[in-house]
Amino acid sequence: SSGDRAACPSRADLAAFLSASLAPADHARLGAHVAGCDACAVALRRMGAVTAGPETAGLGPRGAGVRTPSARD
């Protein structure tokens, strides 16, 4: 699904998610949103590729087990 863009987090929130600087409850909420929102998953993956390099793009913060969809999925 493409998700509800009005409910999508800001780029700043996505960056905070990627850097693991959100409170645990906020991280879980945003992770659940990203799991169901193609637009946010793509944005997060692109941000990860820019900030962390291609070897970790598509992973949640610090390899926390939160995967965003990849082209292979």
Side-chain angles (χ1 to χ4, degrees):
S1 91
S2 62
D4 178 4
R5 296 293 300 188
C8 290
S10 68
R11 287 185 58 82
D13 285 344
L14 289 174
F17 177 81
L18 193 61
S19 67
S21 61
L22 292 172
D26 292 332
H27 183 86
R29 179 186 49 77
L30 202 147
H33 173 84
V34 168
C37 179
D38 294 341
C40 286
V42 168
L44 190 63
R45 192 167 52 245
R46 287 180 180 161
M47 292 171 75
V50 170
T51 61
E55 68 280 357
T56 57
L59 293 178
R62 299 184 190 143
V66 177
R67 269 187 19 86
T68 57
S70 71
R72 292 171 288 187
D73 291 344

